[in-house]
Amino acid sequence: MNNLKEFYYPENIAEAQKLLRDESVKKAIIAGGTSVALLNTGSVEGMVDITRMGLNYIKQDGGFVKIGATAVVEELARSPITKNLANGILAKASSEIASRPLRNMITMGGNIVQLRIWSDLPVVLLALDGQIKVQGDEERTIPADDFFREQPLKTLAHFDIVKEVVLPKTPETSGAEFIKLSKTKGDYAIMSLACYLEFEEKTCTLARIALSSVTPLPRRCKKAEKVLEGKQLTPELIAEAAAVTREKTKTISNIWGSAEYKSVVLENLVKKSLLSCADKAGIQI
Amino acid sequence: MIIQVKINGIDKEWDVDPGMILLDLLRDKGYKSIKRGCDEGYCGACTILLDGQAAKSCVMLAGQAHKRSITTVEGLGTMDEPHLLQKTFVEHGAVQCGYCIPGMLLSSKALLDENPNPTEDDVKEAIDGNLCRCTGYVKQIEAVLDTASIMRGEN
Amino acid sequence: MAVKIKDELNVVGKSVLKVDGLSLACGKAKFVDDYELPECLVCKVMASPFAHARIKKIDKTRALQIPGVVEIITHEDIPRVPHTTAGQGYPEPSPYDTFTLDNKVRYVGDRVLAVAAETEEAALEALRVIEVEYEELEPVLSARDSMKEGAPVIHDEPEAHVIIPVPYEPERNLAAHVDFKIGDMEKGFAEADVVLEKEYETQYAQHCPMEPHIAATWLDENNRLVILTSTQVPFHVRRIVAERLQMPIGKVRVIKPRIGGGFGTKQEVLVEDVCAFLTLKTKRPVKYEMTRAEEFISSRTRHPQILNMKVGAKKDGTLTAISMKIIMNTGAYGSHALTVMCNSGSKILPMYNKVMNVDFCGDTVYTNMPVGGAYRGYGATQGAFAMEVIMDEIARELNMDPVEFRKINHIRSGEGSPVFAALGEGKAGVEQKIGSCGLDRCIERALEEFDWEGREERRKLAPPGKKRGFGMCILMQGSSIPEIDMGAASMKINEDGSFNLLVGATDLGTGSDTVLAQVAAEVLGISVDDFIVYSSDTDMTPFDVGAYASSTTYLSGYAVKNCAEKVKMQILKAAGDMLGVDPYDLTIENKKVTDMNGNSVTIAEVARRALYERDQHQIGAMASHITHKSPPPFAAHFVEVDVDENTGFAEVKKYVCTIDCGTAINPKLAEGQCEGAILNGISYALTEEYIFNKKGRMMNADFGSYKIFNTADLPEMKVILVPTYEETGPYGAKSVSEININGALPAISNAIFDAVGVRLRTAPFTGEKILMGMLGKNNGDPQVKPEEEAAAEEVPEENNAAEENNSNGNGVNNNNKNNGSENRKDKEGLSGEPASYGNYPAKKKKKR
């Protein structure tokens, strides 16, 4: 069903890039492989398996949590490091992806490099101000906001390798929430959203509202964030932010639900998650 | 290309087309306990253990298995000497048509290998990738919990 | 009633281990695809891309040049034999409207041609390059459209016909019709204090056996055709394939190995004919395995129904009249078109047998949509939804507890119903009085287990953001098709006292091999381990209609009992000779035969004597059974549901099922049947549905977008067997496998209403429907979808969220947009005089 003739197992990034730069044989990268196996790989003849390069780490490094690109989402779901970061929303989002055997295969990098129906992690990266480290000719660090501006695969060079995701540790006075709405547990998201609020005293100093599946690409609703920032939050203000999110988001109808339904639910769930963020930050509203 | 796998404890070298779906390869090699239910990674009938972790062989390419260890139900136990999980599954009436059972047994084994004291929720989570249309899962969950308690020496 | 004391029985009523359990758990038991067939070709079938089209031309030239492509068959290469795929006994009540391959395609997914190739790749490549020229015809994509004057005719071929005398009018897309009236409806409704008329709608669904349809065929050393197939009906497969290929039945052998689930879809004879035809052409083994997408689109489904219910009741809760009008969509072919629709009445109406005014009218219509078929519940699922929800609605109108209301009205032991005689399967039914009925006890037991009384307290315990509700329903089904179905078994003894038990009954994962061995073991005083059970091989096992209509335990079980009793007599006779006593003074127990003085011989000794020593003969027998009743099992289902106020999602928290299946021959296996049926029912009620695009193509033909529940979705589930003794069943047994799939739709709908006041009469009960209802945008009635919104847009192949979103601007999967005028307009067509074709627009002229 495909034209694959060779698999390569580089032991480090340099070796992988060398293989990818050699274009005598058309090559592609494979990590977890769950989507590769389903897709027609066309004229690709060589697969560069990047799962054996030591990129499967989850570690703390100063004020940051660093996640190797080939860390599998099951590990993200269980690691004490991710569980303790930002109310554990990355762990929560990871635990709700697909089913156990697939979570053992799906990687961090795979979930964010191709934005597909199953990409639940980008909203978390957007909400937590994540950065993506890519090794090209040289190493570059791309903020999540920029990384997801279009399909990452379209902007990455064929020899680029996504190495690592970096998430800053969040302060005590912050709260984060992730909610995925799906027909059944482990199903594709009808919508997924991640919110993050930071406070000084009782004032909300930073708000991020990120959503996915209801829009063509995962994105933040900055207009709604602005409603909250610099203010002491009230139920009315949170309701307003939720309403603005709904207003600014053109939802689409598909087999998972109508646009109208998704708009209603979006508003409800943004409200719910903002309240939850505030609660987790210890802010009474 | 040649791939090396350790399957059910035995080292094998196979000359294969590396783009072949792993499920097809393993069934061709005679590991018929691995079933095909959807070919799309959803149903879990094709579940194997890859380096001890449950994985779906219908969404893996043969090349990905190189230098890894694979366990199938053929390697779990035999009819003369079944694995405790196989025995309890039968005793609890957890096997109806049996098509999903090899995959479910392997998911259960992966769970018990790392967590000898699972809760009901742990079991549900561990076998959430194995669809079964016959049973309603009740008896399988009971069987896994019972196996765990027997393994702990509790009954 | 007489409940036999358990202690009398040694094997029946015990949860003995499933005879094939360990082999299955060790991955040793063989399913069709596990057999290695040398030189086997791969068969792939081309599916129609159009809902309705005529095939003008097929060009195979390029495909035949592909290395590895061996044979391509089209309608031009195969005899044109009208038949039904329904897999029923002869004469089938389903219309003969299907051809193995035809010059017309009638739904997206219909068969166009078949290829046999050395490899799957070559076969798929052939499908890619074969050029088919179609003339597109206007499709009919809803049951109501199909009934309109001037609607395109789906079966315009002259051969389509029925082989039993029932109404059939393909020229107006009518595949089946039944009606009957008892009493005086006008009077009944006039006597009522409350009359409710509501419409309900059920959706397409698939059985989803984990093993898709698969068959392998080859010619044996005597040039006979062997069909190894995943089927519920090996004997019907043999008859039907022989007929289609125009060869003698004696030239065909059908073998059923282990089956990876069926639930009705494997009653259909769908893959065997093309496969066999390719074998006859190529003289080589051929295997055809459906892909999961084919299983969804091109195999069989649960027939969608629109049910119009009108019920009258007095203030005291007495029912005065029930009218049930059904429009059933059978899709492109009329598989089970008549009988599923009949069952929606015959397994539902007798529950409320006190009503003397009953009106039933059903029309099954063709559309250019996926084909309905037998599916666990078999029409009762659809009927129970409508009936048990309207009973809840009427109880609420009367301010009565729904349980109390049912207690007043439900059928009881010793009672009959005129509906039993009025509605059969393709002919009039068989009158019967209910023998065993444990429904009262089922209700009481469920009330207690569920703590129905304490529900108001539990309602307050709903988590924040959720509303909790409680619902219930009562159910009945049947056991076998009386005076139509036949089962048989044969048995022979071996030297060591073991027995071969050969049954035509088909274990498709249900455990029937075990249950049948238990019946035989009980008769012969031996254990299940003493049996080598074999099912099924048409060359070896005696005839049995197969595994359907909840018949195996009740019908085939009795055949096995008859057979074992014959064998028992032979053993007693031989043992009597050996012990020098009258056979009638002997007892058989613990693998030996004992006389009144305590002298005994073992069964093994009897066997050795009979086979080698004296008066040699083969101890063995064959016996069969038919039934004159179809005793219903009864059940009560209670459910607790939490509805999320933000999303509308309903989550089942607790599900209690009490079931009277007579004697449970193997309680553990019986529970397993119940649990599986319940979860399938819940999954159907909450998520399972077919979503079509504007051209009639199913858009969610995979487990990623057609969701069946996994362990993560599992509610707390409790099944309680409430024993009764059915005099006509083997050791008091009735059926158990189908009934419990019928409860989730009504019970959950009732619970959702109880939680949030939204009455859902259209399944499935998605978060969207519930939330829109909570917002006042869905009054619960089935919504006629406005034409331009009748379908969801295609999801691009790669499921890319971004691209999908861009291309789906106007895609719709929305049953909730209320379009009152459309809705009313369409309903008017239904309120015409229910003459012979009561559901058709009234002006259409009656014709038979």
Side-chain angles (χ1 to χ4, degrees):
Chain A
M1 295 290 270
N2 56 41
N3 292 301
L4 293 180
K5 295 190 173 56
E6 197 61 50
F7 251 71
Y8 306 92
Y9 308 96
E11 287 177 5
N12 54 53
I13 291 181
E15 211 181 296
Q17 283 197 306
K18 194 173 162 217
L19 283 161
L20 291 165
R21 280 177 198 274
D22 165 20
E23 295 186 67
S24 61
V25 173
K26 191 172 173 192
K27 301 191 192 79
I29 294 173
I30 188 168
T34 51
S35 61
V36 176
L38 291 175
L39 302 177
N40 183 358
T41 50
S43 55
V44 173
E45 291 182 40
M47 275 292 167
V48 180
D49 183 337
I50 60 163
T51 59
R52 300 160 197 221
M53 311 195 307
L55 290 181
N56 59 345
Y57 54 83
I58 301 169
K59 62 185 181 192
Q60 300 199 51
D61 190 354
F64 297 94
V65 167
K66 296 185 170 176
I67 299 159
T70 63
V72 296
V73 295
E74 181 64 26
E75 290 301 324
L76 294 178
R78 296 161 169 234
S79 156
I81 296 173
T82 46
K83 279 186 172 168
N84 287 324
L85 172 72
N87 305 117
I89 65 168
L90 179 61
K92 184 181 180 201
S94 301
S95 74
E96 292 178 16
I97 290 175
S99 61
R100 180 66 179 276
L102 291 177
R103 288 194 294 275
N104 287 334
M105 303 163 78
I106 294 165
T107 61
M108 173 92 225
N111 197 261
I112 62 168
V113 155
Q114 298 184 55
L115 297 176
R116 295 184 181 278
I117 191 168
W118 50 70
S119 296
D120 287 332
L121 301 185
V123 280
V124 178
L125 270 52
L126 286 168
L128 298 185
D129 197 24
Q131 302 199 312
I132 294 98
K133 266 192 197 165
V134 178
Q135 181 72 49
D137 284 326
E138 40 199 54
E139 186 184 287
R140 58 191 194 276
T141 301
I142 307 171
D145 271 345
D146 294 336
F147 190 79
F148 298 121
R149 216 173 288 275
E150 39 184 327
Q151 272 290 348
L153 266 194
K154 284 186 189 161
T155 54
L156 294 169
H158 74 275
F159 54 83
D160 278 342
I161 290 177
V162 170
K163 275 166 68 171
E164 186 179 271
V165 168
V166 182
L167 294 165
K169 299 196 80 173
T170 51
E172 282 290 301
T173 54
S174 71
E177 184 59 279
F178 169 86
I179 296 180
K180 172 176 165 179
L181 176 72
S182 54
K183 272 201 223 173
T184 60
K185 298 195 178 93
D187 190 9
Y188 299 132
I190 298 171
M191 84 180 51
S192 51
L193 57 98
C195 294
Y196 175 75
L197 298 177
E198 227 172 85
F199 295 87
E200 264 175 37
E201 297 296 316
K202 289 191 165 173
T203 307
C204 171
T205 51
L206 183 63
R208 295 198 202 95
I209 300 169
L211 36 120
S212 169
S213 295
V214 276
T215 50
L217 289 171
R219 65 189 260 301
R220 280 167 59 190
C221 187
K222 294 190 179 169
K223 287 256 164 48
E225 294 169 358
K226 289 273 178 312
V227 172
L228 305 171
E229 282 174 348
K231 302 198 185 100
Q232 292 207 357
L233 300 191
T234 60
E236 293 73 29
L237 214 52
I238 281 176
E240 188 191 333
V244 169
T245 310
R246 174 179 178 172
E247 188 187 314
K248 295 292 168 195
T249 307
K250 189 178 177 301
T251 54
I252 46 94
S253 293
N254 59 15
I255 63 168
W256 281 272
S258 72
E260 187 190 7
Y261 170 70
K262 289 180 191 173
S263 284
V264 176
V265 176
L266 179 62
E267 183 173 348
N268 290 349
L269 291 185
V270 168
K271 202 186 299 173
K272 179 178 170 183
S273 33
L274 288 173
L275 284 168
S276 165
C277 289
D279 184 52
K280 286 174 180 173
I283 302 292
Q284 298 280 325
I285 292 183
Chain B
M1 66 179 273
I2 305 285
I3 65 164
Q4 299 160 356
V5 294
K6 187 191 268 291
I7 181 156
N8 298 332
I10 300 165
D11 288 312
K12 301 267 182 185
E13 274 198 3
W14 289 328
D15 190 0
V16 301
D17 169 359
M20 194 174 181
I21 296 292
L22 185 60
L23 164 66
D24 295 336
L25 172 66
L26 294 174
R27 283 189 59 86
D28 278 2
K29 295 290 180 192
Y31 300 93
K32 302 283 192 193
S33 70
I34 312 167
K35 304 300 181 196
R36 178 194 316 279
C38 74
D39 274 328
E40 293 170 321
Y42 297 118
C43 81
C46 68
T47 302
I48 56 168
L49 296 186
L50 192 71
D51 292 341
Q53 297 290 328
K56 294 189 175 179
S57 64
C58 76
V59 284
M60 282 188 72
L61 303 180
Q64 290 178 269
H66 180 49
K67 293 195 171 163
R68 293 188 185 260
S69 91
I70 291 173
T71 307
T72 71
V73 156
E74 283 92 347
L76 200 60
T78 62
M79 289 186 67
D80 291 330
E81 286 179 67
H83 187 277
L84 184 60
L85 269 168
Q86 291 168 313
K87 218 168 141 266
T88 49
F89 262 56
V90 177
E91 285 167 359
H92 280 264
V95 180
Q96 284 192 30
C97 86
Y99 204 75
C100 70
I101 293 299
M104 204 171 293
L105 284 165
L106 292 170
S107 293
S108 306
K109 175 164 193 302
L111 169 73
L112 297 184
D113 283 350
E114 65 178 26
N115 180 1
N117 199 7
T119 63
E120 185 174 328
D121 282 345
D122 292 336
V123 177
K124 286 183 176 179
E125 199 243 311
I127 62 175
D128 70 351
N130 299 94
L131 294 181
C132 166
R133 193 63 146 176
C134 294
T135 62
Y137 307 106
V138 177
K139 305 241 180 291
Q140 287 136 347
I141 294 167
E142 282 171 10
V144 178
L145 289 170
D146 190 34
T147 306
S149 73
I150 297 171
M151 282 176 159
R152 292 193 304 265
E154 288 166 19
N155 56 33
Chain C
M1 94 206 53
V3 176
K4 293 276 161 88
I5 300 157
K6 274 265 171 68
D7 294 350
E8 289 175 15
L9 303 172
N10 295 311
V11 194
V12 163
K14 305 278 190 292
S15 294
V16 303
L17 302 188
K18 202 160 172 284
V19 293
D20 52 354
L22 192 58
S23 176
L24 286 163
C26 292
K28 287 287 169 201
K30 280 186 167 184
F31 297 83
V32 173
D33 198 37
D34 300 336
Y35 288 80
E36 294 276 4
L37 297 170
E39 301 290 299
C40 187
L41 297 171
V42 177
C43 165
K44 287 277 166 190
V45 168
M46 182 187 279
S48 166
F50 299 112
H52 199 189
R54 216 169 280 289
I55 297 170
K56 305 303 282 183
K57 202 174 135 203
I58 299 175
D59 187 352
K60 316 177 189 171
T61 343
R62 273 179 69 200
L64 284 170
Q65 286 161 2
I66 296 169
V69 172
V70 177
E71 187 65 65
I72 299 170
I73 51 167
T74 74
H75 63 93
E76 289 171 348
D77 306 306
I78 193 158
R80 191 175 162 81
V81 182
H83 63 268
T84 172
T85 60
Q88 295 164 301
Y90 185 85
E92 295 107 324
S94 300
Y96 278 25
D97 58 4
T98 312
F99 306 89
T100 296
L101 294 165
D102 199 1
N103 57 15
K104 191 182 180 190
V105 286
R106 297 178 182 82
Y107 71 106
V108 176
D110 205 355
R111 264 185 205 170
V112 177
L113 53 82
V115 175
E118 302 287 352
T119 62
E120 188 180 352
E121 287 75 13
L124 290 171
E125 182 62 12
L127 293 188
R128 212 177 56 76
V129 305
I130 294 171
E131 286 169 27
V132 183
E133 201 183 298
Y134 297 94
E135 177 197 340
E136 272 191 77
L137 304 170
E138 189 192 336
V140 179
L141 297 176
S142 83
R144 286 199 169 100
D145 284 347
S146 165
M147 301 169 86
K148 283 181 184 153
E149 187 98 41
V153 176
I154 293 161
H155 285 276
D156 52 358
E157 68 281 4
E159 298 97 325
H161 68 288
V162 279
I163 61 167
I164 59 167
V166 288
Y168 179 61
E169 291 185 36
E171 63 279 8
R172 51 192 294 209
N173 294 329
L174 181 79
H177 169 85
V178 164
D179 62 84
F180 73 85
K181 258 187 203 157
I182 298 158
D184 182 339
M185 297 305 290
E186 251 176 61
K187 184 166 159 272
F189 286 122
E191 283 168 8
D193 295 312
V194 178
V195 175
L196 279 188
E197 183 172 5
K198 299 288 175 191
E199 194 160 286
Y200 303 84
E201 192 169 336
T202 63
Q203 76 278 28
Y204 270 110
Q206 224 275 329
H207 315 63
C208 303
M210 286 301 113
E211 177 203 39
H213 282 84
I214 178 169
T217 52
W218 65 91
L219 293 169
D220 74 4
E221 59 280 14
N222 297 316
N223 220 26
R224 286 173 76 226
L225 175 67
V226 184
I227 303 174
L228 176 73
T229 178
S230 183
T231 184
Q232 295 173 222
V233 289
F235 287 88
H236 295 339
V237 168
R238 182 178 65 169
R239 184 190 87 237
I240 291 164
V241 171
E243 199 174 276
R244 280 186 216 175
L245 302 181
Q246 300 181 319
M247 56 199 292
I249 285 177
K251 287 277 185 201
V252 183
R253 173 183 180 187
V254 177
I255 302 168
K256 174 219 74 99
R258 291 297 93 191
I259 302 303
F263 316 107
T265 193
K266 288 176 182 167
Q267 187 180 349
E268 301 280 335
V269 185
L270 290 177
V271 290
E272 295 88 350
D273 57 344
V274 265
C275 209
F277 193 80
L278 285 165
T279 282
L280 294 182
K281 272 225 136 180
T282 59
K283 310 289 176 204
R284 287 178 59 180
V286 178
K287 192 180 279 180
Y288 175 22
E289 178 180 21
M290 281 194 171
T291 62
R292 185 54 62 181
E294 276 181 291
E295 190 68 30
F296 275 111
I297 297 170
S298 304
S299 79
R300 293 294 178 257
T301 63
R302 188 184 295 288
H303 295 93
Q305 288 187 355
I306 300 165
L307 303 105
N308 186 282
M309 304 291 298
K310 189 173 173 189
V311 175
K314 291 186 189 169
K315 277 186 194 140
D316 65 0
T318 317
L319 288 165
T320 60
I322 300 179
S323 153
M324 185 178 209
K325 294 191 167 50
I326 296 174
I327 299 171
M328 183 166 101
N329 176 4
T330 190
Y333 299 97
S335 185
H336 300 266
L338 174 67
T339 41
V340 163
M341 178 259 288
C342 286
N343 239 39
S344 300
S346 65
K347 300 286 185 282
I348 299 303
L349 290 165
M351 177 66 91
Y352 299 102
N353 66 329
K354 317 282 183 296
V355 195
M356 283 302 125
N357 308 302
V358 181
D359 179 9
F360 178 87
C361 178
D363 287 302
T364 303
V365 300
Y366 289 120
T367 60
N368 293 111
M369 296 176 83
V371 184
Y375 188 156
R376 191 180 213 174
Y378 201 79
T381 311
Q382 296 93 320
F385 172 46
M387 181 65 89
E388 290 300 308
V389 175
I390 201 161
M391 288 301 155
D392 194 75
E393 298 197 49
I394 212 151
R396 282 179 184 271
E397 285 283 324
L398 297 169
N399 280 320
M400 288 184 76
D401 180 291
V403 180
E404 294 306 315
F405 177 70
R406 284 174 174 82
K407 281 185 187 169
I408 296 172
N409 289 293
H410 77 69
I411 195 166
R412 287 180 168 79
S413 184
E415 298 175 354
S417 161
V419 178
F420 287 132
L423 271 182
E425 294 220 349
K427 57 183 188 186
V430 175
E431 201 172 322
Q432 65 172 343
K433 288 253 187 297
I434 297 297
S436 57
C437 177
L439 187 51
D440 283 322
R441 281 194 291 137
C442 282
I443 293 172
E444 291 313 318
R445 192 72 189 80
L447 285 172
E448 184 186 308
E449 176 68 31
F450 187 81
D451 187 19
W452 180 253
E453 286 303 312
R455 65 192 189 283
E456 290 312 323
E457 281 308 304
R458 291 220 300 288
R459 194 190 301 278
K460 294 177 200 150
L461 302 176
K466 305 243 169 134
K467 292 272 190 198
R468 186 162 286 179
F470 307 87
M472 59 82 63
C473 69
I474 52 175
L475 304 167
M476 60 182 279
Q477 191 91 20
S479 309
S480 81
I481 312 175
E483 298 178 2
I484 289 182
D485 285 349
M486 192 274 272
S490 76
M491 206 181 289
K492 67 181 174 65
I493 202 166
N494 300 313
E495 290 96 315
D496 58 351
S498 67
F499 290 83
N500 292 99
L501 172 60
L502 300 155
V503 288
T506 314
D507 191 333
L508 56 148
T510 47
S512 66
D513 283 0
T514 311
V515 165
L516 297 178
Q518 283 180 262
V519 170
E522 188 64 55
V523 174
L524 291 171
I526 53 181
S527 78
V528 164
D529 298 338
D530 296 316
F531 286 95
I532 305 132
V533 188
Y534 188 58
S535 73
S536 320
D537 177 337
T538 56
D539 269 12
M540 319 222 175
T541 52
F543 182 88
D544 188 289
V545 287
Y548 58 83
S550 280
S551 67
T552 302
T553 299
Y554 180 70
L555 169 76
S556 309
Y558 221 105
V560 167
K561 186 162 180 279
N562 292 341
C563 184
E565 271 160 4
K566 283 188 183 177
V567 170
K568 180 179 166 185
M569 271 320 296
Q570 295 173 24
I571 293 170
L572 293 182
K573 192 165 172 291
D577 280 353
M578 292 165 79
L579 293 165
V581 296
D582 188 315
Y584 290 97
D585 292 334
L586 293 170
T587 53
I588 186 164
E589 208 170 18
N590 283 331
K591 308 189 191 202
K592 50 186 191 200
V593 183
T594 310
D595 69 15
M596 287 134 67
N597 302 321
N599 300 319
S600 66
V601 287
T602 65
I603 291 179
E605 285 164 350
V606 173
R608 270 199 305 278
R609 180 176 186 267
L611 293 173
Y612 295 116
E613 291 161 11
R614 284 196 60 180
D615 186 20
Q616 283 100 318
H617 66 291
Q618 172 68 60
I619 292 176
M622 186 177 294
S624 52
H625 189 62
I626 69 158
T627 66
H628 301 284
K629 283 179 75 176
S630 180
F634 293 93
H637 286 199
F638 283 69
V639 64
E640 178 177 317
V641 165
D642 279 358
V643 176
D644 187 314
E645 292 178 288
N646 286 315
T647 64
F649 269 65
E651 188 184 355
V652 174
K653 302 303 288 183
K654 183 174 184 178
Y655 201 108
V656 171
C657 157
T658 49
I659 157 95
D660 152 27
C661 60
T663 300
I665 306 263
N666 185 317
K668 212 155 234 164
L669 293 179
E671 281 170 19
Q673 285 295 313
C674 301
E675 289 156 0
I678 291 166
L679 195 66
N680 189 340
I682 296 174
S683 182
Y684 180 52
L686 294 180
T687 80
E688 293 181 38
E689 63 180 325
Y690 276 37
I691 298 167
F692 296 98
N693 74 0
K694 287 176 202 165
K695 294 183 167 175
R697 181 170 159 219
M698 184 193 184
M699 302 312 300
N700 58 332
D702 61 60
F703 285 140
S705 46
Y706 181 102
K707 298 306 291 186
I708 71 174
F709 274 25
N710 65 18
T711 48
D713 307 301
L714 187 66
E716 181 191 339
M717 204 195 294
K718 178 84 181 171
V719 170
I720 299 168
L721 305 176
V722 176
T724 61
Y725 194 91
E726 172 54 42
E727 293 291 345
T728 62
Y731 295 104
K734 299 189 280 192
S735 81
V736 69
S737 60
E738 291 193 80
I739 178 171
N740 287 317
I741 201 169
N742 305 332
L745 274 178
I748 293 174
S749 174
N750 295 341
I752 290 169
F753 182 83
D754 189 55
V756 293
V758 177
R759 181 61 76 179
L760 288 173
R761 302 190 190 90
T762 309
F765 316 132
T766 58
E768 177 159 354
K769 280 183 199 151
I770 298 170
L771 190 68
M772 290 308 184
M774 290 162 73
L775 296 172
K777 295 185 176 185
N778 176 4
N779 66 2
D781 290 332
Q783 304 297 303
V784 177
K785 295 169 198 171
E787 202 129 294
E788 64 276 16
E789 295 191 340
E793 286 296 327
E794 284 193 29
V795 181
E797 208 162 292
E798 296 191 347
N799 273 352
N800 184 314
E803 288 162 25
E804 169 196 319
N805 294 352
N806 288 337
S807 66
N808 271 355
N810 278 321
V812 169
N813 161 31
N814 183 355
N815 293 331
N816 302 301
K817 283 198 178 155
N818 207 338
N819 188 331
S821 58
E822 276 269 351
N823 205 355
R824 274 194 298 278
K825 194 176 72 196
D826 257 63
K827 272 191 181 170
E828 272 167 26
L830 281 172
S831 56
E833 179 61 24
S836 161
Y837 299 114
N839 294 320
Y840 266 73
K843 60 179 171 178
K844 194 79 187 175
K845 204 172 67 195
K846 178 184 157 185
K847 194 177 96 180
R848 290 223 181 195

